[in-house]
Amino acid sequence: MTLKIAVQKSGRLHDGSMQLLKECGIECSNGSNQLRIRAANFPLEIFFLRDDDIPEYVQDGVVDIGIVGENVMLEKKKQNRLVEKLGFGKCRLSIAVPRNEEITSISELNGKRIATSYPVILRSYLDMNLVSASIHEISGSVEIAPRIGLADAIFDIVSSGSTLFNNELKEIQTVLTSEAVLIAKNNMDEEVNRVLERLLFRIRAVRKARYNKYVLLNAPNDKLDLICSLLPGMKSPTILPLAEPGWSSVHSVIHENDFWEVIEQLKANGAEGILIVPIEKMIL
Ligand code: ATP
Ligand code: ZN
């Protein structure tokens, strides 16, 4: 049984999606100029499509699963379920107004015109906040709408903010944060679902590994208890005696979020020769 996955043909999510599949050990010759390719060593067929079309193809069963931005999933409102967040393609969707405007909050947008490519998300946000504004849907270059007199405000994707800055706009409200997500159709064939579970197992192992580092360090034996208490590890740290008497080597795993703080504490408590090594896959 083959699992069919839709990946963005070209654009911001293409490389991250292909990289993830590669790290899952799935070999597929890079054929993004083809419509679809089969993986050599996993029952997976990859379809390359425009991101906007993916939720519908998933709903209709042309493919079983797809990778899209959460923003696209929410905007298209198709019969899809979110299976897994994937940790790349991060961005936010915000409301912005011309920098020289006095406006600072969305309540001041009552009666104004807002240009966007995401009318569904914007409408539900405005309704929820009891703001009545008119929405002008445009498909690209939303950021120029205020300058050409088409709108008073925009609602669009922001990543670094430089596009807003270059267009003399200021962000007044973040509406949504988004990242790439794996979506699936609702009623999946049982055999296909088993292939999806195998893929998910690999995706989770790859993602956990990305967020964790393997740490090796040397510690004087009288500091071992203290140092081990700073290092939770997967079960508990591994301790190996060094050839030099009175010293041990300690091995463990640290989460990226705690990384620098833990390293500082380890150093402060007598750890030496600290090595940090990337983890390729992590299966708990
Ligand atoms: P397509 O040709 O497939 O329709 P597109 O032009 O609609 O592509 P991209 O600009 O490639 O889309 O963006 C795809 C997704 O990448 C967005 O929907 C969003 O989830 C995510 N993304 C992350 N960072 C950014 C960013 N800085 N600008 C735009 N999209 C971003
Ligand atoms: Zn698109």
Side-chain angles (χ1 to χ4, degrees):
M1 212 21 120
T2 305
L3 178 69
K4 300 193 194 96
I5 185 172
V7 163
Q8 193 187 20
K9 181 173 169 57
S10 63
R12 292 175 199 265
L13 300 182
H14 175 83
D15 290 352
S17 304
M18 296 312 288
Q19 176 70 19
L20 179 64
L21 293 177
K22 191 173 157 212
E23 286 177 32
C24 288
I26 295 168
E27 285 168 21
C28 30
S29 51
N30 198 2
S32 57
N33 49 1
Q34 287 168 270
L35 171 63
R36 63 191 205 188
I37 54 174
R38 281 188 82 93
N41 57 355
F42 194 83
L44 187 74
E45 196 171 358
I46 306 163
F47 289 62
F48 297 104
L49 301 167
R50 279 200 61 200
D51 67 345
D52 312 69
D53 299 333
I54 291 175
E56 187 162 350
Y57 282 130
V58 170
Q59 170 182 283
D60 298 348
V62 175
V63 291
D64 305 298
I65 58 174
I67 299 178
V68 288
E70 217 173 335
N71 53 315
V72 170
M73 182 194 86
L74 293 171
E75 181 64 28
K76 299 297 172 189
K77 275 199 153 161
K78 301 290 175 187
Q79 302 281 315
N80 298 155
R81 66 191 163 93
L82 196 164
V83 180
E84 191 84 359
K85 296 199 178 199
L86 300 175
F88 63 92
K90 289 191 178 174
C91 58
R92 62 184 188 275
L93 279 79
S94 295
I95 296 173
V97 297
R99 209 185 302 148
N100 55 12
E101 289 282 339
E102 300 276 294
I103 301 176
T104 53
S105 78
I106 55 159
S107 59
E108 293 160 83
L109 294 174
N110 265 308
K112 307 265 187 201
R113 300 160 303 162
I114 311 177
T116 187
S117 317
Y118 297 95
V120 172
I121 296 172
L122 179 60
R123 177 57 69 205
S124 81
Y125 183 79
L126 293 178
D127 286 352
M128 215 167 60
N129 289 283
L130 305 173
V131 175
S132 132
S134 64
I135 296 177
H136 285 246
E137 182 176 355
I138 47 179
S139 58
S141 303
V142 172
E143 65 283 356
I144 65 166
R147 257 195 298 154
I148 59 174
L150 183 71
D152 308 298
I154 65 159
F155 171 60
D156 203 10
I157 293 179
V158 180
S159 54
S160 67
S162 61
T163 305
L164 290 186
F165 185 83
N166 292 338
N167 287 282
E168 300 185 352
L169 297 166
K170 63 177 178 189
E171 201 175 343
I172 57 164
Q173 181 69 49
T174 300
V175 171
L176 178 79
T177 57
S178 175
E179 64 186 87
V181 293
L182 189 69
I183 57 171
K185 70 175 183 187
N186 277 337
N187 299 307
M188 198 178 277
D189 177 276
E190 211 173 292
E191 271 186 72
V192 176
N193 196 51
R194 269 199 290 277
V195 183
L196 172 58
E197 288 300 326
R198 284 178 64 201
L199 177 65
L200 272 177
F201 176 79
R202 295 186 185 193
I203 288 177
R204 287 174 186 147
V206 168
R207 292 210 50 219
K208 272 199 203 87
R210 278 189 200 159
Y211 293 123
N212 287 279
K213 301 278 176 241
Y214 194 76
V215 54
L216 303 92
L217 58 88
N218 296 330
N221 287 345
D222 60 350
K223 295 278 178 57
L224 277 180
D225 284 349
L226 194 60
I227 284 177
C228 288
S229 72
L230 299 170
L231 285 171
M234 282 167 75
K235 263 208 165 65
S236 67
T238 307
I239 300 177
L240 302 165
L242 288 190
E244 186 178 327
W247 283 79
S248 297
S249 167
V250 180
H251 300 197
S252 190
V253 171
I254 310 185
H255 194 271
E256 189 183 65
N257 291 348
D258 315 322
F259 183 76
W260 287 111
E261 208 169 308
V262 173
I263 298 296
E264 282 163 13
Q265 290 181 29
L266 291 170
K267 268 190 76 187
N269 285 289
E272 291 180 9
I274 304 173
L275 292 182
I276 311 296
V277 187
I279 300 172
E280 194 170 314
K281 305 283 186 297
M282 196 163 149
I283 294 143
L284 299 181

